[in-house]
Amino acid sequence: MSGISAPEIRITPSILNADRSNLSSEIGRIADVSDFIHLDVMDNIFVPNFTFDFDAASKIIRECPIPVDAHLMVAQVDEIAISYAQAGAASVTIHVESASDIRSTCLGIRAAGARAALALKPATRIDDYQEYLDVVDMFLIMTVEPGFGGQSFIEEMLPKIAQTKRIIGDRPIWLQVDGGISLETIERAAEAGADTFVAGSAVFKADDPAEMVRALRSRVISTR
Ligand code: DX5
Ligand code: ZN
């Protein structure tokens, strides 16, 4: 590079809509150009969809050639979140709507060696969670209702992303968006302050998923 450092941004493809019967080759297609693999864990209770149980998810984490960002959409998340950190996830995201002791769960995730992240569903306000700034490594602002890939980006989340960015200030806390991120929407999310981008169908429905990851990254860099 020419002495100008790239802005700190991360692209984390979600394998939710990848070919799950062939996951290792699907991950192989984008591993070199991605920062993390985003692993959506759904229990059919917290959200009306099921993806992986803990054993299946742990196997993916173990075998994944790049760090895994585990997004837990499960009921009563506190205890299992720490197990995900112990299983080797690099980052573990819990939903504030599911956790009963956010502070101690975040601390437990960190103690097990992972980054601790807090996710907010679209209707959940960020205002009530400022007290956790000291135990959180990333906020995830959901830009769709959690549960399914392929939904449209909810534009009304842009002010919430911007508000979260203001709350974070210059703390080293990442700001992730998840849901409907594509070449059409990623710039607006970036301009609002997001720096970590989950993309599921945009990547895995593309003819060339690696090229799509590169294109998404360039779009964000063009906003900086
Ligand atoms: C939805 C999941 C997302 C999903 C995103 O609940 O959390 O990670 O895979 O998929 P797209 O990018 O297709 O909206
Ligand atoms: Zn997700």
Side-chain angles (χ1 to χ4, degrees), residues 89-176:
S91 174
V92 178
T93 300
I94 61 170
H95 269 266
V96 297
E97 304 87 0
S98 170
S100 47
D101 189 339
I102 292 174
R103 175 166 294 276
S104 95
T105 301
C106 287
L107 288 172
I109 291 169
R110 280 183 170 177
R115 298 174 59 90
L118 281 188
L120 280 73
K121 289 165 62 166
T124 305
R125 287 156 46 90
I126 183 71
D127 310 62
D128 304 331
Y129 299 97
Q130 302 194 35
E131 64 183 283
Y132 302 111
L133 284 165
D134 60 322
V135 293
V136 165
D137 299 300
M138 180 171 81
F139 282 106
L140 164 53
I141 301 301
M142 290 301 300
T143 42
V144 297
E145 282 301 333
F148 299 93
Q151 304 180 76
S152 301
F153 181 83
I154 303 174
E155 299 283 337
E156 290 73 23
M157 293 301 106
L158 290 168
K160 182 165 143 187
I161 297 166
Q163 186 192 359
T164 306
K165 182 67 185 167
R166 282 195 299 276
I167 288 169
I168 289 173
D170 51 16
R171 296 175 183 84
I173 298 175
W174 299 352
L175 178 49
Q176 186 176 55

Side-chain angles (χ1 to χ4, degrees), residues 14 16 38 40 42 71 73 142 146-150 178-180 198-201:
S14 160
L16 182 63
H38 181 84
D40 289 300
M42 305 185 187
H71 176 194
M73 286 160 278
M142 290 301 300
F148 299 93
D178 181 7
V198 179
S201 26

